[in-house]
C-alpha cells in the first residue's frame, strides 16, 4: 500500500547516532523522522519495498543530513543561511567539501549537546477552547521541559471557563479566562497577562519536545532576533485526513535547518507578495515583548474565530516591514495532532484560505504593497488552475478533495474587500507599561 492509502502510517523516530541497523520488517509503509540525539535532521515517507533502510542508506542519510546541518549552523561555513523567496535555504557549499573537511560525527555531537541557557525569562502561553483532553496532554509535556519556563499561562477562550479544572491539575499553570471568542483576542490576552520578556506560544493540540524551552532560550540569546518559529512534526498519521494534510498539503513545513528571515528576504519578495506564511506556524512561535510595543499586537480581525487564520503571518509581515528579524529554528520542536477526519480537515483548509486572503487585504491596506494584490488575483487563481489540471491528470491521487474547500475559502476571503469599516480597523497596540494604546 502507498503511504496515502495505507490503513495507517506509523510515525517512527530514528536516532542515527545510535542506530546500527533498521529493524523495520518491511511489511508496511512508514513515516520516518531522523535525529542525531536531540537534533532533528529530516523526515521521509517510505513504501514497504523501500524498507528496511540498509546500513549503506543509513550512512548516506547521516552524511547528507549532517552536512546540511553544518552548512546551516557553522559561521565559518557561511551560517546563518538566509531564506530565499520560497522560504528555502540557499546552500553555498558542496556536500563533498563538507565531508572532506570535517569529522562529521564529532561535529554533530557538538551541535546536539549545546549548553543549556536560562529559560526563566520565557512566558509560555497556551490558548485553548473546549478541548480539555488535548490541553491536558499539552500541559503534561510543558511540565516535562528540561528547563521550566518562568511561567505557564493558559488562556481559556471558552464561554464558561471549562479549562479551569484541567489547569488546576497542574499547580505551575495560571488560568486566565477570556470569554470573547477569537484566537487573536486570546493571544493578546495572554500577552497582557504574562510577565516574561520572551512570550512563547503553542496550541492545545500539540505536545512539546522536552527541549522546547531550552531552544527558545538559546535562540533569543542573539539580541538581533525579534521572533522565533520552530519545527512542527506530526504526532500521528493514523487517518487519511492526517496523511493528506502532512503528505499532500505539506503539513506545517519540512525544513530541518535554521533560516534567517530579515529585511533582505522582505525586500526581495515584497513586489510579488512576501511569502511570510513560509516562516513557520503559530503552533510554535515566540516573540520579544518589545516587538509588540513596536509593531502592535495580533490583529483581532484575523485568526480562528474571526476571518479564519493568518494572524501569525500578518504579524510577521509587520515585523519585517519594521526591520525586524525572525529566526526559524527547527531545534525547537513540537508534535502536532492533525485533524483526524476529512470533514474537519476540509473545514480547516477552507478557514486557512479565507484567513490568508483576509490577511493579504490587511497587509495591502497597511503598507500599500501591490504584491499582496498580485497574490490574491494572480498567484492564487493560477495555483487553483494548476491544482485542477493536476487532479484531471492524476485522478483522486492528484487532488484528494481539498481543492473545493480552498476555492470556497478564497471566495469567502474576497468579501473583506467590500467591507470598508472592517478595512479601517487595525491591530491593538501595547505600550511599555502593558496598557493598550
Amino acid at each position: 500500500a502507498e503511504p496515502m492509502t495505507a490503513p495507517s502510517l506509523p510515525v517512527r523516530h530514528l536516532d542515527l547516532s545510535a542506530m546500527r541497523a533498521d529493524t523495520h520488517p518491511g511489511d508496511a509503509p512508514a513515516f520516518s523522522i531522523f535525529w542525531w540525539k536531540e537534533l532533528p535532521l529530516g523526515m521521509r515517507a517510505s513504501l514497504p519495498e523501500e524498507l528496511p533502510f540498509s546500513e549503506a542508506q543509513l550512512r548516506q542519510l547521516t552524511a547528507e543530513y549532517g552536512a546540511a546541518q553544518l552548512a546551516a549552523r557553522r559561521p565559518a561555513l557561511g551560517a546563518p543561511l538566509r531564506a530565499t523567496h520560497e522560504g528555502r535555504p540557499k546552500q553555498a557549499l558542496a556536500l563533498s567539501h563538507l565531508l572532506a573537511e570535517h569529522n562529521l560525527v564529532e561535529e554533530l555531537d557538538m551541535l546536539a549537546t549545546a549548553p543549556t541557557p536560562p529559560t526563566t525569562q520565557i512566558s509560555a502561553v497556551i490558548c485553548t477552547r473546549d478541548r480539555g483532553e488535548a490541553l491536558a496532554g499539552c500541559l503534561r509535556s510543558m511540565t516535562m521541559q528540561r528547563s521550566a519556563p518562568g511561567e505557564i499561562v493558559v488562556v481559556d477562550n471558552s464561554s464558561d471557563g471549562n479549562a479551569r479544572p484541567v489547569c488546576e491539575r497542574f499547580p505551575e499553570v495560571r488560568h486566565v479566562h477570556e470569554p470573547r471568542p477569537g484566537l487573536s483576542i486570546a493571544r493578546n490576552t495572554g500577552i497582557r497577562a504574562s510577565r516574561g520578556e520572551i512570550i512563547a506560544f503553542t496550541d492545545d493540540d500539540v505536545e512539546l519536545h522536552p527541549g522546547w524551552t531550552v531552544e527558545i532560550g538559546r535562540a533569543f540569546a542573539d539580541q538581533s532576533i525579534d521572533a522565533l518559529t520552530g519545527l512542527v512534526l506530526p504526532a500521528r498519521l493514523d487517518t487519511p485526513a492526517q496523511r493528506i494534510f502532512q503528505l499532500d498539503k505539506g503539513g506545517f513545513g519540512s525544513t530541518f535547518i535554521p533560516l534567517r528571515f530579515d529585511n533582505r528576504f522582505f525586500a526581495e519578495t515584497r513586489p510579488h507578495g512576501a511569502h511570510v506564511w513560509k516562516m513557520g506556524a503559530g503552533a510554535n512561535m515566540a516573540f520579544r515583548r518589545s516587538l509588540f510595543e513596536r509593531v502592535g499586537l495580533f490583529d483581532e480581525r484575523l485568526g480562528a474565530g474571526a476571518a479564519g487564520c493568518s494572524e501569525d503571518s500578518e504579524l510577521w509581515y509587520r515585523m519585517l516591514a519594521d526591520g525586524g528579524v525572525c529566526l526559524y529554528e527547527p531545534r525547537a520542536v513540537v508534535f502536532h495532532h492533525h485533524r483526524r477526519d476529512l470533514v474537519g480537515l476540509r473545514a480547516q483548509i477552507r478557514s486557512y484560505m479565507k484567513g490568508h486572503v483576509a490577511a493579504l487585504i490587511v497587509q495591502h491596506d497597511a503598507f500599500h504593497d501591490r504584491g499582496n494584490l498580485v497574490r490574491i488575483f494572480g498567484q492564487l487563481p493560477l495555483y487553483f488552475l494548476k491544482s485542477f489540471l493536476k487532479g484531471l491528470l492524476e485522478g483522486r491521487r492528484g487532488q484528494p478533495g481539498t481543492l473545493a474547500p480552498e476555492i470556497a475559502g478564497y471566495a469567502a476571503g474576497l468579501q473583506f474587500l467590500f467591507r470598508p469599516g472592517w478595512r479601517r480597523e487595525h491591530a491593538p497596540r501595547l505600550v511599555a507599561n502593558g496598557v493598550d494604546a
Side-chain angles (χ1 to χ4, degrees):
E2 295 193 3
M4 287 287 289
T5 59
S8 179
L9 185 61
V11 176
R12 60 189 195 135
H13 297 266
L14 307 181
D15 182 359
L16 293 176
S17 74
M19 196 170 179
R20 298 295 174 264
D22 186 359
T23 58
H24 190 281
D27 58 350
F31 188 85
S32 306
I33 300 174
F34 300 96
W35 303 73
W36 187 274
K37 299 180 178 176
E38 294 201 353
L39 180 68
L41 299 178
M43 60 186 176
R44 64 173 57 186
S46 303
L47 298 171
E49 55 266 29
E50 298 172 309
L51 297 168
F53 296 117
S54 68
E55 186 177 349
Q57 286 176 305
L58 294 175
R59 286 199 301 268
Q60 180 65 19
L61 288 170
T62 301
E64 292 178 1
Y65 289 145
Q69 291 293 323
L70 294 185
R73 297 185 181 278
R74 285 286 301 275
L77 299 176
L81 298 180
R82 295 186 177 230
T84 61
H85 178 74
E86 285 298 315
R88 293 288 179 178
K90 187 173 183 179
Q91 295 287 140
L93 296 174
L95 171 65
S96 58
H97 170 81
L98 287 165
L99 295 180
E101 297 295 326
H102 298 87
N103 184 322
L104 193 59
V105 170
E106 290 182 5
E107 296 281 356
L108 285 172
D109 280 342
M110 290 178 61
L111 290 176
T113 56
T116 299
T119 57
T120 54
Q121 80 280 22
I122 298 173
S123 292
V125 176
I126 306 166
C127 298
T128 186
R129 181 180 173 87
D130 300 328
R131 293 201 292 200
E133 184 178 350
L135 175 63
C138 180
L139 289 176
R140 277 193 295 272
S141 67
M142 182 72 77
T143 59
M144 294 173 65
Q145 293 296 296
R146 286 202 307 274
S147 184
E151 62 177 349
I152 304 170
V153 178
V154 170
V155 181
D156 182 354
N157 204 207
S158 66
S159 60
D160 58 355
N162 57 46
R164 184 181 295 277
V166 176
C167 294
E168 289 175 346
R169 289 154 49 187
F170 300 88
E172 51 274 87
V173 171
R174 181 151 54 95
H175 175 269
V176 178
H177 185 212
E178 173 51 85
R180 294 176 299 154
L183 181 55
S184 287
I185 292 174
R187 283 181 170 157
N188 289 341
T189 297
I191 294 167
R192 297 184 189 103
S194 62
R195 298 181 285 260
E197 288 306 308
I198 307 299
I199 305 172
F201 292 92
T202 191
D203 293 342
D204 58 7
D205 55 359
V206 310
E207 296 175 46
L208 308 170
H209 185 280
W212 184 67
T213 54
V214 167
E215 298 304 337
I216 292 173
R218 193 195 320 279
F220 281 102
D222 180 346
Q223 294 301 312
S224 72
I225 301 301
D226 296 289
L228 171 135
T229 57
L231 179 62
V232 182
L233 294 173
R236 306 181 69 88
L237 295 174
D238 295 337
T239 71
Q242 291 173 330
R243 295 193 290 277
I244 288 170
F245 183 75
Q246 182 66 40
L247 303 179
D248 182 74
K249 308 308 294 181
F252 290 106
S254 58
T255 303
F256 280 74
I257 62 174
L259 291 173
R260 188 179 176 95
F261 294 86
D262 55 17
N263 55 0
R264 188 171 77 174
F265 166 80
F266 192 58
E268 290 177 352
T269 62
R270 197 171 188 172
H272 311 287
H275 288 192
V276 285
W277 57 92
K278 297 285 188 178
M279 292 168 60
N284 189 6
M285 61 182 179
F287 303 88
R288 291 194 193 277
R289 179 178 296 277
S290 57
L291 178 70
F292 297 114
E293 296 167 2
R294 284 189 355 238
V295 306
L297 300 169
F298 288 96
D299 194 315
E300 294 177 359
R301 292 173 289 177
L302 305 173
C309 76
S310 294
E311 78 293 341
D312 43 16
S313 61
E314 188 276 332
L315 179 59
W316 298 328
Y317 196 102
R318 269 185 279 146
M319 177 193 68
L320 293 177
D322 187 65
V325 176
C326 178
L327 175 68
Y328 169 73
E329 175 49 87
R331 294 178 67 132
V333 179
V334 305
F335 304 94
H336 184 263
H337 290 272
H338 300 341
R339 300 290 197 281
R340 290 187 58 85
D341 61 276
L342 291 171
V343 172
L345 173 64
R346 293 185 181 113
Q348 178 187 24
I349 288 173
R350 182 185 185 279
S351 177
Y352 278 6
M353 185 58 72
K354 178 185 176 184
H356 178 49
V357 173
L360 292 168
I361 296 169
V362 168
Q363 290 159 193
H364 174 266
D365 290 346
F367 299 99
H368 308 291
D369 290 337
R370 182 175 175 272
N372 293 291
L373 300 182
V374 171
R375 175 72 177 168
I376 293 174
F377 297 110
Q379 294 175 7
L380 287 175
L382 183 60
Y383 160 75
F384 296 142
L385 177 60
K386 289 181 177 178
S387 296
F388 176 72
L389 294 176
K390 180 181 179 183
L392 286 180
L393 292 173
E394 300 182 14
R396 293 183 64 183
R397 281 184 56 199
Q399 185 51 249
T402 58
L403 180 58
E406 283 187 306
I407 294 175
Y410 172 80
L414 291 178
Q415 67 168 303
F416 296 109
L417 286 167
F418 311 103
R419 295 174 59 177
W422 184 90
R423 294 180 66 174
R424 283 193 294 269
E425 296 176 21
H426 56 80
R429 303 193 67 82
L430 185 75
V431 297
N433 63 3
V435 179
D436 287 353

